[in-house]
Structures are given as C-alpha cells and as structure tokens.
Amino acid sequence: MPRSLTTPLNILVIGAGIGGLSTALAFQQQGHRVTVVERVATIRPVGAAISLWPNGVKVMHQLGLGETIEGLSGEMTQMRYLTHTGQTLTDFSLAPLFGDVGQRACPVARAALQQTLLNAVGTEHIQFGRRCIDYIVTQHGVSAHFDDGESLNADLLVVAEGTHSKLRSKLVGHPVERQYVGYVNWNVRVPADEALAPLSHWDQYVGDAKRVSFMPMGSGGNEEGVQEFYCFFDVPLPAGTTNDPDHYRDELREHFAGWAEPVQALIERFDPARMARVEIYDIPPLDSLTAPRVALLGDAAHGMAPDLGQGGCQAMEDAWVLSQALERALEENEDATAAIASALAQYDRARVDRVGEIVQRARKRAAMIHGHDATHTRAWYDELKSEDGQAIIDGLKTTVTGGPLG
C-alpha cells in the first residue's frame, strides 16, 4: 500500500521502458513525486514479446500488476528441444520449476506489458519527445539537461534509457562500448496453431549453430483475443549485415532450408512488417551502477544477450531493489541526502554482482548455442539427447531464486 511521506522526494526517471516504468511505479507507491522523461514521441516496443520468468512476475505482483500480466500472458507448461529436422531431443514439464519457486512464467507481448505499466504510472507523469543529454550534481540535488535547452531538478535521477544509453559512460566515469555477441535475431508474433507447435509448449529447433523458437504468449498482443506464438530465428552472422524487411522471408528460407515443416510453415506465414531483425549486443559487467544522486538501471546498466530470457526480469528486479533500498534508508535517516546516499550504496551492493553474473552467463550461453566453438555446440546437442529436464530446471531455478524475492 502507498505510504504517507513527511517530505516526498522528487525523482526523475530517464526512459519509459520496462525498467523505467517499473521504477516509477514503485516510487509512486511509496508516495514520491515521480517524473518520467522519454526521448521518443510515441512508444513503440522493440521486439514482439518478452519471456517474463517467475522472478520478474513476482516483482509485478509486488507492484499490483501481477494478475493483469498473468491474464495477458501465455500458458507455457512444457519445454521441448528438437533437431533441425524435427526429431525430439528432450521434452519435459515446467511444472516442477513453477511449483518450487511459487510462480509460473508469463511470456507476454511487449506492447501489452508496456501499456500496462504506462496505465499504472499515468501518462500525466510522463514527458515524451525529450532527450536527456547531460546532468550535473548540485548542492541540493541533481539537474538534468535536455535537448530542448531546458532542465529539470530532482533529488534522485534514475537513468533507464536502454542499451544505447548516452549517460552511462558519464555515470561510470569511462566509455562503455556495446559488444557484438555474434548473431542476428529475427522475432515476430504469429497466430498460435497446433500445426506449428502445441499451444502450451515452448519448442526450440536447434542445428548448425542456429535456432528457431515457438513460445506461447497469450492473446494480450492483439485486440481480437487471438492466442499467439512469440517466434524467433537466430543465425550467427557478422555485424553490419543488410537489414531489409523486403528480404526477410528470402533470407530465412536460405538460412533454414531443409529444416522441419513447422519452421518452413512459420517462414511462409509471418508478416515481415511485424518482424524485428536485431543484431545482438551486450555490455561488459560494470563495477558500479551508481554515482552521487544517480542510479543506472535496466539495459542501460546491464544490456545482455537474450539467451537466458532475463533482460526485462533484471530491470524489474533493479526497480524493486532500488525502491526498497530508498524506503529503508529514509526510515533510518532523517536527512534526505544521507538517505539517498545510503540507498544507492545498498542498491550497488545488491545488484552489481547479480547482474554481472547474469550478463556473463547469457554471453556464455549465446556462444554455446550459436557455435562460437563448434565442439561445444555439438556437445550441447548430444547432452540434450539424454536430458530429462532436471539440469535445465535447476539452472532456471538458480536464476529465479537468486533474485530479491526468492
């Protein structure tokens, strides 16, 4: 429940993505005055959907949105790996994982998730079409400067402007360059159809260091109530290859010639206008996510390969940890400046190792899946043949239970 503050803080959040909006909502519910500034004039979520694992869903429940998210998301109860020609490598239930951690996963349309967060925060608290270009710490707080020549003052600044963040290098004190992970991802949503995959399965076809995925994502991504699959294709390619929607189908026909019939059917069915083609980058783990009066959060802090499905979940964890740290610090310190400094120190201690380890694991898994060492990739295919699901579930459980809500 929101609580009354003697002196609410002014908190400025840069970025209206998943992390920024989750943070804004968490602080609003504590009674703070929150302004969100987003550089684009209209929100257009990048990517068809997001696989929200239980650690992320638990944060959404804490913020009062869990039931809504669960209602919008897909029911994913089974996981299956298949060879590129369609032979099953392993097929197992995800129920033991969900039972052990007390929460199911919620694959959901990015647009539906973001709109849910926007509605909760309230668009009256969001300024669109303004780019933050710099900030300075002042005697009484922090002042953020924008490309329109104006400034906004706040007690605390949260930088959640995504993987291309321009403020990140200033905050950490040195240039931080994105690094190419080595593959291209095409992602799209299509109407769910048993001819493509069972409606409750997450199916992944693997071979030749490539991957094709079918994941149930519910009906939250459309107004017609049609169940959909979140689908993606991964192909190891050099950075800088041509990105032309008119050629997506021909590209994928070439890359996946001879693959199983559901893969061929997907290639013929998807709408190129609804597809995103993304070169996958991450950033190296950072030693600190804070500076005086400023916190770095979400992809700006730990842009990662999507191979663990944790990008959005970690942004949500960031939001929860930062807001809880500030709440505790304000209870322990009468002086707001001291409370903010304490909260940022707590946030750093809680998040630097956690997100750094996941960034490294995601990069390692991306390398294994996408053939950085062909011997390792072949060994993984062989392991999948004897996998009963327990090792995969154990890995997923470790990631989930390492979060702030267990």
Side-chain angles (χ1 to χ4, degrees), residues 176-240:
V176 179
E177 300 296 334
R178 298 165 73 237
Q179 50 192 12
Y180 187 47
V181 177
Y183 72 93
V184 175
N185 170 277
W186 291 256
N187 63 81
V188 70
R189 65 179 197 257
V190 299
D193 185 341
E194 291 276 2
L196 297 176
L199 300 187
S200 61
H201 274 222
W202 179 17
D203 278 3
Q204 297 180 72
Y205 292 80
V206 294
D208 194 25
K210 303 172 188 176
R211 178 169 56 155
V212 180
S213 173
F214 298 83
M215 179 181 282
M217 54 170 279
S219 59
N222 63 83
E223 297 179 356
E224 294 76 27
V226 175
Q227 295 292 317
E228 294 182 300
F229 283 139
Y230 168 40
C231 301
F232 63 76
F233 304 82
D234 289 347
V235 180
L237 289 171

Side-chain angles (χ1 to χ4, degrees), residues 12-189:
L12 177 59
V13 179
I14 305 300
I18 291 168
L21 292 174
S22 297
T23 304
L25 181 59
F27 282 136
Q28 283 179 333
Q29 292 181 348
Q30 291 176 358
H32 298 294
R33 294 186 292 267
V34 183
T35 300
V36 181
V37 180
E38 167 57 47
R39 64 179 179 82
V40 302
T42 304
I43 293 290
R44 292 185 177 88
V46 177
I50 180 172
S51 52
L52 272 192
W53 289 96
N55 52 315
V57 183
K58 287 182 179 184
V59 175
M60 290 294 97
H61 275 289
Q62 290 293 323
L63 297 180
L65 302 181
E67 290 187 10
T68 299
I69 298 302
E70 291 203 31
L72 293 168
S73 69
E75 288 279 354
M76 182 175 68
T77 61
Q78 199 82 3
M79 186 172 178
R80 183 167 63 167
Y81 279 95
L82 306 99
T83 69
H84 77 285
T85 55
Q87 284 75 46
T88 298
L89 292 166
T90 184
D91 184 357
F92 57 91
S93 173
L94 290 167
L97 168 66
F98 302 157
D100 284 349
V101 303
Q103 175 61 55
R104 72 174 180 90
C106 291
V108 64
R110 275 188 179 271
L113 173 60
Q114 199 154 8
Q115 190 61 54
T116 299
L117 286 164
L118 282 167
N119 292 343
V121 171
T123 54
E124 67 272 20
H125 301 293
I126 304 172
Q127 300 179 12
F128 293 98
R130 302 183 72 192
R131 183 189 298 272
C132 185
I133 57 175
D134 197 8
Y135 68 85
I136 58 170
V137 177
T138 67
Q139 183 178 354
H140 301 292
V142 60
S143 181
H145 306 311
F146 295 87
D147 57 356
D148 56 11
E150 296 187 2
S151 298
L152 289 174
N153 298 319
D155 296 302
L156 174 65
L157 175 67
V158 179
V159 175
E161 57 181 348
T163 185
H164 294 281
S165 173
K166 301 300 184 184
L167 302 178
R168 175 173 56 225
S169 294
K170 172 166 182 167
L171 185 147
V172 301
H174 59 81
V176 179
E177 300 296 334
R178 298 165 73 237
Q179 50 192 12
Y180 187 47
V181 177
Y183 72 93
V184 175
N185 170 277
W186 291 256
N187 63 81
V188 70
R189 65 179 197 257

